[in-house]
Amino acid sequence: MEELQRIVTRAWETGRAAAASGRVANYIPELGKADPSSVAVAVANLDGSGASAGDVETRFTLQSVSKVASLACVMATGLHDPFERVGVEPSGDAFHSIVRLEEETGRPRNPLINAGAIAVSELLEGPNPSEKIETLRGFLQVATRGADVDGSFALDEAIYHSERDTGYRNRALASYMKHHDVVADPFVAVDTYFRQCSLLADVRSLARFGLFLASGGVDPDSGLRILSAEATRKILALMTTCGLYDEVGRFALQVGIPAKSGVSGAILAIVPGRCAMACFGPALGPKGNSVAGMAMMELLARELELSIFSAGEAGRQLETSGQSA
Ligand code: GLU
């Protein structure tokens, strides 16, 4: 077996063992039906190689990972500047925090918390939420070149309805932002957000989606520019500082890769210039992140030496020879 596949399989075994300690999110009732023992992982390299292991056919909703996709989609269109309505500072709060709207302005702290994503999703092109979601799905399909052949990032109707029936906290956030004129129509904003959270992927299509973020905004297969290099860099910076709720610090230390997690148990992680990785495991830890996903990301980062904070070979060479070598 090839070395990468061996490491990915080992990551999956570690993730599977870790999953037993987590609990599936059920505040969106339909999410609670996920199998807590389900675990999958995929790595997609920029050179076209890759590996995957586990329940790779299992589809899950993107939930908060969709925040990266909608932000990229809005920035790619270039018609609106999302940073006119959202900030760029980490919140340090749990994913559903209601307090991180700035009191004076009602502005969300960043685009990767719920309030920020609700504000950004309203900027997707289209006259109503379903058309806006078609814009986003089109973007996902272009960015993956149709990798999600089965469902093309289809909407999971049951999850969407379940969240729509119960998502009063998100509605409160949207209403508060309307009070401060951060959003134009809170009903459109929040419904678009519920829908984008309910889009389906599997680990391979999600990792494939992340490749343009690893390559400075270019689809590695076609050479097509999906997003400007500057916008890509900004999104990766935000993922690094705001992507894992209030566990972002530990993730930076233990893994050290721009990433975004979601309550479905998905994590998308990007190693600039190298690869994109996707993990899935619906059993969550106390901070709302997939326990299997965290364990798998840690192992992959360590074994493949992926942390963006590591000097890697350059440091080792200097240690043995200094500048004179
Ligand atoms: N749709 C979920 C919510 O808004 C997404 C939360 C998440 O994945 O962080 O509650």
Side-chain angles (χ1 to χ4, degrees):
M1 205 194 301
E2 182 212 336
E3 179 67 0
L4 177 62
Q5 184 61 58
R6 230 192 314 272
I7 292 171
V8 166
T9 302
R10 195 151 9 107
W12 169 64
E13 286 162 0
T14 306
R16 206 176 39 168
S21 68
R23 293 182 56 179
V24 175
N26 58 9
Y27 74 98
I28 299 172
E30 197 66 25
L31 274 184
K33 294 183 180 167
D35 172 3
S37 67
S38 181
V39 172
V41 53
V43 176
N45 288 322
L46 282 178
D47 66 6
S49 63
S52 58
D55 302 319
V56 292
E57 308 290 336
T58 299
R59 299 162 73 75
F60 48 84
T61 50
L62 292 176
Q63 297 301 330
S64 273
V65 177
S66 71
K67 294 167 180 169
V68 171
S70 59
L71 179 62
C73 182
V74 168
M75 291 178 89
T77 329
L79 296 172
H80 306 278
D81 178 3
F83 299 105
E84 283 179 2
R85 41 171 77 184
V86 299
V88 295
E89 300 303 337
S91 73
D93 285 325
F95 72 92
H96 49 43
S97 172
I98 201 159
V99 297
R100 288 302 168 169
L101 292 170
E102 279 157 17
E103 254 171 61
E104 300 290 301
T105 62
R107 254 166 71 98
R109 294 279 288 188
N110 68 67
L112 299 186
I113 53 173
N114 283 12
I118 292 167
V120 170
S121 65
E122 192 189 22
L123 300 176
L124 290 165
E125 278 307 290
N128 53 47
S130 68
E131 295 287 321
K132 286 178 188 294
I133 288 309
E134 285 315 302
T135 300
L136 179 59
R137 289 184 60 221
F139 180 76
L140 285 158
Q141 283 158 11
V142 167
T144 52
R145 304 191 81 220
D148 186 46
V149 281
D150 289 345
S152 306
F153 300 97
L155 183 95
D156 185 318
E157 293 283 346
I159 300 240
Y160 163 57
H161 286 116
S162 187
E163 180 160 13
R164 204 183 56 178
D165 292 347
T166 55
Y168 289 100
R169 188 192 294 265
N170 286 324
R171 283 200 185 89
L173 290 168
S175 297
Y176 189 70
M177 287 192 285
K178 173 61 184 173
H179 173 74
H180 285 284
D181 282 332
V182 174
V183 296
D185 184 330
F187 303 104
V188 168
V190 83
D191 189 43
T192 306
Y193 170 77
F194 289 157
R195 288 169 193 256
Q196 75 173 44
C197 288
S198 304
L199 296 181
L200 287 161
D202 57 46
V203 281
R204 286 188 293 213
S205 58
L206 185 57
R208 178 66 186 79
F209 168 71
L211 273 184
F212 79 96
L213 291 169
S215 70
V218 176
D219 175 62
D221 285 343
S222 61
L224 185 74
R225 180 160 289 286
I226 309 283
L227 189 64
S228 73
E230 189 189 341
T232 306
R233 184 177 50 73
K234 286 182 182 169
I235 290 175
L236 293 184
L238 285 162
M239 290 170 77
T240 309
T241 52
C242 313
L244 279 105
Y245 315 125
D246 46 345
E247 209 166 16
V248 75
R250 185 170 90 83
F251 195 80
L253 264 67
Q254 302 292 110
V255 183
I257 303 170
K260 182 73 199 88
S261 58
V263 287
S264 54
I267 304 179
L268 171 66
I270 310 296
V271 187
R274 189 160 164 184
C275 66
M277 305 190 291
C279 286
F280 171 64
L284 308 181
K287 307 275 181 162
N289 291 312
S290 166
V291 282
M294 297 294 270
M296 291 191 283
M297 288 290 178
E298 275 187 44
L299 187 140
L300 291 169
R302 191 174 59 244
E303 299 283 314
L304 298 169
E305 202 170 352
L306 297 178
S307 171
I308 60 170
F309 304 110
S310 162
E313 198 46 38
R316 286 191 289 275
Q317 273 183 16
L318 283 171
E319 187 181 25
T320 50
S321 50
Q323 287 288 5
S324 57

